[in-house]
Amino acid sequence: MKIRSPIVSVLGHVDHGKTTLLDYIRGSTIADKEAGGITQHIGATEIPNDTIDEICGNFISALTIKDLIPGLFFIDTPGHAAFTSLRKRGGALADLAVLIVDINDGFKPQTYEALNILKMYKTPFIVVANKIDMIFGWETHEGASFKESFNNQAQSVKQALDTKVYEIVGTLHKEGFQSERFDRVSDFASQITIIPISARSGEGIIEVLAMLLGLAQEYLTEQLEINEDAPAKGTVLEIKEETGLGLTVDSIIYDGVLRTNDEIALMTSNNDVLTTKIRSILRPLPLEEMRDSKKKFQKFDEVVAAAGIKIAAPNLDDVISGSPLRVLNDDENVEEELLKEIEDITINTDDEGILVKADTLGSLEAIVQLLKELDIPIRAADIGDVNRRDIINSSIALNDNEEHGAIIAFNVDVLQNSEEDLANSGIKLFKGDVIYQIIEDYEDWIKQKEEARKKAFYDAIIKPAKFMSLPKLVFRQSKPAIIGVESLSGTVKQGQKLINKNGDSVGIIASMEDKGETLPDISRGQRVAMAIDDAVVGKDFDEGDELFIDIPEKHYKFIEREFKDKLTEDEFETLHEFLEIKRKQDPDWGKFGLFE
């Protein structure tokens, strides 16, 4: 068995320095140190152990790192979207991750998203606190270790940096992680390492490389074991058109060996398995050779994991990025294995729920898992742009439950011939390139719907209110009784039933009028003329009596359970009076409710 280099992915918020860090790691500053041997792969950069040793010098000696692992294999496509796309069966392709945070900005939406994805895949990671050179008063020391540079700073700058680091420690603690600055970590297995750096000046990069290598050698050697003779396993980065080659597949091989003329299986956008034969395996020429040659790539008869390669082969038109790549062999049914992998994600997970569409298998897997954690039901989850079939499927879900009339679309579009169908369907589309933002928008939409439903229900239920029959203002005694009233609390509405202070039925409010204007309702303090059907003044109530709106017991319980905080003080007092009246007639009325 051979131990391969750990695959390292860099994640974080836009503009926090992911690309700058990767550029520095593989770039000119390292070359300036005459540390040869850095290999440029397709979509990845491999830094061998000897090179890391030259760059890090005594720092590695201090960590007592053994030479078990050949080096570090950095994926060059930074960002959480790439991270979720790059997957293997049962988790993320990356063995280790670097979560990069602007030390001055702190955690941003995409930082939280990246952190949650790392949690989901259980990927070991370090936090790199970038842009220390932007701290006020920082004196830059190009390419120095963090410790060396930090020791040469003014005391006030050291304090400022420590304050910012502990803000990151606090944020990680809220997210369920114990963490500490790398030189203060007591247990690397239980604490997340924070390394302050400047990706621009290279300060702290020494510690980043050494720490990644140290963690890999300490904790990952078993999972990095590969069989050099086994058929290759990999994942597709992207499909690219190359002059003279046609469509090609860029892929990361994480296990086994791949050879020219191997027959490989890939997934298509239609969830079918495509088999094709490799014509060429290509990697970029070394930079110095590329300058002197018209060619960009060199051919290889075989490559062993870990490797980033370009594959030239026929019939690659419908292959999707994020697809597994497998070499066909006699020992196992590879096609069945790939279909099972797709099925694990795209299976209709519930009889009802929302639809999910994503650009890659990994993205789809991440979204499905997150929605399940939030108990959001999923009717179907699939790869590709939103099409007419999706809209029909979602419309069926909408008819069953309006909250399920939604499509979550990550990094995909709506097909042009389906845009009008969507516009006329009543389906709500949540589209974007930040998984958590899309899901958050969906949750906000659900909350708004719930609030609107509650408001509509609150408006419809009968709430506490009372008024007084004003003395000497009886205009008609019955059929209907017409009296002058003053509203004392709540909102009195036309059509509501009335009871008196004994709990006996009085009648129904037929109409209310003020200065010739008919009013549908009145509020506290208003004086109007009121007509009451079925009431007889002097029999059902007297002048000066208080009359109460009759609240059905079911409505009372809804108020108690859902809306008690919405009542005004006078409505609350009236409800208490009303309850006492009802309890005189029936001691169990409304139990167990607001005033128990």
Side-chain angles (χ1 to χ4, degrees):
M1 298 293 278
K2 174 196 170 189
I3 295 199
R4 64 165 171 82
S5 298
I7 298 168
V8 183
S9 185
V10 181
L11 300 87
H13 189 70
V14 66
D15 293 335
H16 278 197
K18 298 181 298 244
T19 306
T20 311
L21 175 64
L22 285 167
D23 284 347
Y24 188 95
I25 284 171
R26 63 167 175 248
S28 58
T29 310
I30 290 175
D32 289 346
K33 290 176 182 270
E34 297 177 355
I38 294 173
T39 310
Q40 191 70 33
H41 291 242
I42 296 288
T45 301
E46 187 176 12
I47 307 181
N49 218 347
D50 291 347
T51 303
I52 294 171
D53 197 31
E54 285 184 50
I55 295 166
C56 299
N58 294 334
F59 195 85
I60 282 191
S61 308
L63 289 177
T64 64
I65 291 174
K66 303 168 195 163
D67 290 333
L68 284 174
I69 285 171
L72 296 171
F73 190 85
F74 281 91
I75 297 172
D76 285 358
T77 45
H80 53 269
F83 184 84
T84 52
S85 299
L86 301 174
R87 64 187 295 283
K88 57 188 177 187
R89 190 73 184 272
L93 178 69
D95 304 296
L96 288 168
V98 174
L99 180 62
I100 193 160
V101 183
D102 184 328
I103 196 167
N104 304 292
D105 267 5
F107 276 54
K108 294 290 182 185
Q110 284 174 311
T111 324
Y112 284 107
E113 169 148 65
L115 187 64
N116 278 289
I117 288 167
L118 290 170
K119 265 190 215 176
M120 186 182 98
Y121 283 117
K122 297 183 172 61
T123 305
F125 67 98
I126 63 170
V127 172
V128 165
N130 189 26
K131 304 191 183 181
I132 57 175
D133 54 312
M134 302 300 287
I135 294 172
F136 183 75
W138 185 270
E139 286 187 15
T140 298
H141 297 78
E142 296 276 343
S145 71
F146 167 75
K147 288 297 292 287
E148 183 188 339
S149 190
F150 182 73
N151 289 338
N152 286 313
Q153 303 300 324
Q155 191 59 35
S156 60
V157 176
K158 291 180 180 178
Q159 286 172 349
L161 182 134
D162 271 344
T163 300
K164 291 175 187 294
V165 166
Y166 282 111
E167 283 171 5
I168 294 172
V169 169
T171 304
L172 286 167
H173 182 74
K174 285 179 192 169
E175 295 296 314
F177 294 98
Q178 298 304 312
S179 62
E180 186 54 274
R181 204 175 84 184
F182 73 95
D183 50 330
R184 298 167 180 161
V185 171
S186 55
D187 180 5
F188 287 99
S190 62
Q191 288 175 293
I192 301 296
T193 302
I194 301 171
I195 306 176
I197 72 153
S198 166
R200 193 163 58 177
S201 70
E203 291 163 285
I205 300 292
I206 287 173
E207 284 94 337
V208 171
L209 294 173
M211 197 61 64
L212 288 170
L213 198 63
L215 289 172
Q217 294 191 346
E218 187 68 29
Y219 301 110
L220 299 178
T221 46
E222 278 187 34
Q223 78 178 56
L224 297 176
E225 286 182 356
I226 60 164
N227 184 344
E228 292 181 79
D229 298 321
K233 293 181 179 180
T235 191
V236 173
L237 287 174
E238 57 182 318
I239 319 302
K240 273 187 183 171
E241 182 81 37
E242 293 286 355
T243 308
L245 295 170
L247 272 184
T248 63
V249 165
D250 289 356
S251 176
I252 300 283
I253 304 300
Y254 60 82
D255 197 5
V257 61
L258 187 72
R259 298 182 175 96
T260 304
N261 294 323
D262 273 349
E263 205 166 348
I264 57 171
L266 303 156
M267 294 306 307
T268 71
S269 53
N270 299 318
N271 293 349
D272 296 324
V273 176
L274 164 83
T275 59
T276 186
K277 187 176 276 192
I278 296 175
R279 282 201 300 247
S280 304
I281 299 170
L282 304 152
R283 287 226 301 248
L285 283 167
L287 283 174
E288 60 275 11
E289 289 183 37
M290 205 181 287
R291 290 191 198 101
D292 304 326
S293 169
K294 290 180 181 176
K295 293 180 181 177
K296 289 194 291 183
F297 306 107
Q298 55 186 329
K299 287 187 179 182
F300 289 79
D301 291 331
E302 69 173 46
V303 292
V304 177
I309 56 164
K310 182 179 288 292
I311 295 170
N315 308 320
L316 297 174
D317 304 60
D318 293 326
V319 175
I320 52 166
S321 66
S323 161
L325 181 153
R326 299 284 186 276
V327 170
L328 298 180
N329 66 84
D330 299 331
D331 298 336
E332 52 187 312
N333 189 332
V334 172
E335 292 184 46
E336 193 176 298
E337 185 191 330
L338 289 197
L339 285 171
K340 178 73 173 72
E341 188 162 346
I342 275 272
E343 195 179 284
D344 284 349
I345 301 165
T346 57
I347 190 167
N348 290 1
T349 50
D350 297 286
D351 293 332
E352 56 177 17
I354 63 173
L355 261 69
V356 180
K357 301 287 289 194
D359 58 340
T360 70
L361 271 174
S363 304
L364 194 68
E365 183 177 48
I367 296 167
V368 165
Q369 179 140 344
L370 292 168
L371 289 171
K372 283 182 174 176
E373 284 173 12
L374 294 166
D375 292 324
I376 296 170
I378 303 163
R379 185 183 175 92
D382 207 352
I383 296 164
D385 291 332
V386 177
N387 57 42
R388 193 166 284 161
R389 187 187 61 201
D390 297 323
I391 295 160
I392 291 167
N393 205 354
S394 199
S395 297
I396 295 167
L398 173 65
N399 289 335
D400 294 338
N401 183 334
E402 62 173 9
E403 289 185 4
H404 298 159
I407 298 174
I408 283 180
F410 176 72
N411 261 350
V412 293
D413 293 317
V414 178
L415 291 177
Q416 204 168 353
N417 62 7
S418 303
E419 286 176 354
E420 193 176 335
D421 293 337
L422 181 67
N424 297 328
S425 67
I427 303 298
K428 182 75 173 171
L429 178 71
F430 296 91
K431 182 173 173 284
D433 59 2
V434 179
I435 293 171
Y436 276 79
Q437 191 60 59
I438 301 173
I439 294 175
E440 210 171 89
D441 290 346
Y442 171 75
E443 288 185 301
D444 287 345
W445 179 67
I446 293 296
K447 280 178 194 163
Q448 287 166 14
K449 282 198 166 298
E450 184 62 28
E451 288 302 316
R453 196 161 43 243
K454 277 189 177 181
K455 185 180 183 307
F457 189 68
Y458 182 70
D459 291 344
I461 63 171
I462 296 167
K463 293 176 280 296
K466 69 176 181 177
F467 59 86
M468 179 194 290
S469 170
L470 293 169
K472 300 179 183 177
L473 282 176
V474 176
F475 305 111
R476 183 191 289 173
Q477 216 166 354
S478 63
K479 297 184 182 177
I482 301 176
I483 58 174
V485 302
E486 179 180 347
S487 178
L488 300 176
S489 74
T491 301
V492 178
K493 296 180 179 179
Q494 182 181 334
Q496 289 181 325
K497 292 179 180 178
L498 300 172
I499 61 169
N500 59 26
K501 58 191 174 187
N502 299 317
D504 300 324
S505 176
V506 168
I508 297 170
I509 299 170
S511 62
M512 292 175 285
E513 198 175 289
D514 182 30
K515 297 173 186 171
E517 182 186 354
T518 301
L519 303 173
D521 55 58
I522 58 169
S523 52
R524 185 180 177 185
Q526 279 185 275
R527 291 186 167 204
V528 298
M530 178 184 288
I532 307 173
D533 283 337
D534 304 327
V536 179
V537 181
K539 178 187 171 193
D540 297 314
F541 67 93
D542 295 317
E543 296 177 45
D545 277 359
E546 290 181 353
L547 299 179
F548 293 80
I549 301 302
D550 191 11
I551 303 170
E553 188 172 19
K554 189 176 179 183
H555 287 217
Y556 165 78
K557 286 183 174 177
F558 270 120
I559 291 169
E560 181 270 321
R561 193 168 67 242
E562 302 279 349
F563 303 119
K564 58 187 176 187
D565 57 332
K566 290 186 179 293
L567 295 179
T568 62
E569 192 176 336
D570 58 288
E571 285 176 324
F572 196 83
E573 287 174 6
T574 300
L575 189 65
H576 195 203
E577 290 177 73
F578 175 80
L579 186 63
E580 285 184 341
I581 291 167
K582 284 290 187 180
R583 291 276 170 88
K584 283 176 188 171
Q585 293 184 318
D586 176 4
D588 291 327
W589 192 93
K591 285 189 175 178
F592 291 87
L594 195 58
F595 300 102
E596 305 311 322

